[in-house]
Amino acid sequence: MHTINRRLIVSAKDQRLELAHFLRKNRERVTPKDVGLPTGSRRRTPGLRREEVAILAGLSPTWYTYLEQARDIAPSPAALERVATVLRLSSYERQYLRRLSERSRQSSHASEGNDQTENQWTRIVESLNPVPAYVTTCLCDIISWNEAADEWYSDFSELAKERRNIVLWMLTSPVSRKCFVDWETEARELVARFRTAAVGWYGDPRLTELIENLNESSPHFRRWWEEHHVLGPNTRSSKMRNTRTEIIDMTIIDLYIGHPNGEKIVIHVPATHTG
């Protein structure tokens, strides 16, 4: 069994560890050339140095160092925005950075649900047949799906409820590699969206359980989680293979219901046959 990386399993009060890790990983991805600095032959630090980020952002090097050390300081939105500009973050990465800096969290457990809600989603996704569709919680637990999703993914009813999670299925089920023609791209982007969804749920038992299971069972997850890439909900194209081995171009649409970080319905709109 693999040793759990305890840095991954953070509590609600340790969200600043994720903020520090996100800043460091993005700092390492920005080269001096990217920001107009000379590249010396003796540089050992990948990407920018901490003091370089601080100076370019108009901040105290000591203050920025404290931020990357996960000290208990409260960065202002203006300071974070200047850091984000230096690190060349995308608009969605900036939103993620702001969410990481917030001290509040969701008020209820991510794993909570009720039969009435699940029955409602079941009626909705069944009405979409033969278009594949499923509904997940904010932490990607699958709570409803239709017959078309069974055909294109798996019969999720055969899985134990605690393993009925789209990230866990994608990273651990051999069926997922047959389902997606470009499995690695799909799986990596899914981990990035899951990383985004985790904000506000650190310390939730279900999140901790999922990260432990994924960390133990998937080397891909361990590598991609350490990279700390994030993605938001998006509409994307994907080549998928169903149980009849047909390859279809799919447009996959994420639709959040109510809160933008809550439950979502994932709809697959078939395009043309490609094989």
Side-chain angles (χ1 to χ4, degrees):
M1 179 180 295
H2 296 283
T3 301
I4 293 292
N5 180 352
R6 297 310 302 178
R7 203 210 64 77
L8 295 176
I9 314 302
V10 293
S11 67
K13 69 179 180 179
D14 287 333
Q15 187 162 296
R16 61 182 180 270
L17 288 173
E18 292 293 272
L19 174 63
H21 186 258
F22 181 68
L23 290 173
R24 178 172 65 81
K25 298 306 292 187
N26 280 280
R27 174 172 59 82
E28 292 173 353
R29 286 192 273 264
V30 180
T31 68
K33 183 179 179 180
D34 290 335
V35 293
L37 294 177
T39 303
S41 59
R42 295 185 178 180
R43 290 187 73 95
R44 296 180 180 178
T45 304
L48 298 178
R49 299 186 179 101
R50 286 175 175 172
E51 58 269 25
E52 290 171 336
V53 173
I55 291 170
L56 288 168
L59 302 170
S60 159
T62 299
W63 184 90
Y64 181 78
T65 296
Y66 285 168
L67 200 59
E68 280 204 18
Q69 289 176 343
R71 301 282 189 96
D72 191 11
I73 59 177
S76 69
L80 285 178
E81 188 63 22
R82 295 199 296 273
V83 170
T85 298
V86 173
L87 298 181
R88 304 162 70 90
L89 300 186
S90 68
S91 59
Y92 193 82
E93 288 169 332
R94 290 169 190 247
Q95 293 177 37
Y96 175 78
L97 181 63
R98 289 192 292 269
R99 290 181 60 210
L100 275 179
S101 69
E102 296 171 354
R103 300 303 179 94
S104 61
R105 63 172 303 220
Q106 305 289 349
S107 59
S108 60
H109 288 300
S111 55
E112 288 179 352
N114 58 69
D115 292 339
Q116 183 177 357
T117 299
E118 293 185 15
N119 290 336
Q120 178 185 22
W121 296 135
T122 297
R123 290 194 298 271
I124 292 172
V125 294
E126 285 179 350
S127 72
L128 293 172
N129 269 313
V131 173
Y134 61 85
V135 177
T136 70
T137 65
C138 58
L139 294 183
C140 302
D141 285 324
I142 304 165
I143 56 177
S144 296
W145 63 95
N146 61 14
E147 292 180 8
D150 283 340
E151 178 180 352
W152 285 93
Y153 283 83
S154 289
D155 184 352
F156 294 123
S157 64
E158 295 181 352
L159 300 177
K161 188 172 183 179
E162 66 272 13
R163 298 194 63 82
R164 207 174 292 162
N165 179 280
I166 196 63
V167 184
L168 198 58
W169 176 84
M170 180 71 85
L171 273 294
T172 64
S173 172
V175 177
S176 69
R177 292 175 180 265
K178 299 176 182 178
C179 179
F180 289 96
V181 175
D182 188 358
W183 176 86
E184 184 164 334
T185 296
E186 295 288 341
R188 188 172 187 170
E189 291 184 355
L190 182 58
V191 170
R193 287 192 292 274
F194 178 59
R195 188 64 176 260
T196 303
V199 178
W201 294 107
Y202 299 122
D204 183 270
R206 179 54 177 164
L207 176 61
T208 300
E209 176 187 32
L210 285 170
I211 294 176
E212 287 178 340
N213 287 342
L214 287 161
N215 196 51
E216 285 183 344
S217 58
S218 173
H220 288 92
F221 176 81
R222 292 192 294 274
R223 184 170 71 252
W224 296 334
W225 192 262
E226 176 62 22
E227 290 174 355
H228 209 142
H229 288 294
V230 294
L231 282 175
N234 62 350
T235 298
R236 54 203 179 274
S237 297
S238 178
K239 291 186 182 297
M240 295 184 66
R241 184 184 293 108
N242 64 10
T243 53
R244 299 189 300 273
T245 71
E246 297 172 318
I247 297 177
I248 301 290
D249 286 321
M250 289 281 194
T251 298
I252 303 178
I253 305 169
D254 294 335
L255 296 176
Y256 281 87
I257 304 112
H259 193 280
N261 301 305
E263 294 171 338
K264 70 176 179 181
I265 182 168
V266 183
I267 303 172
H268 304 63
V269 181
T272 58
H273 289 256
T274 59

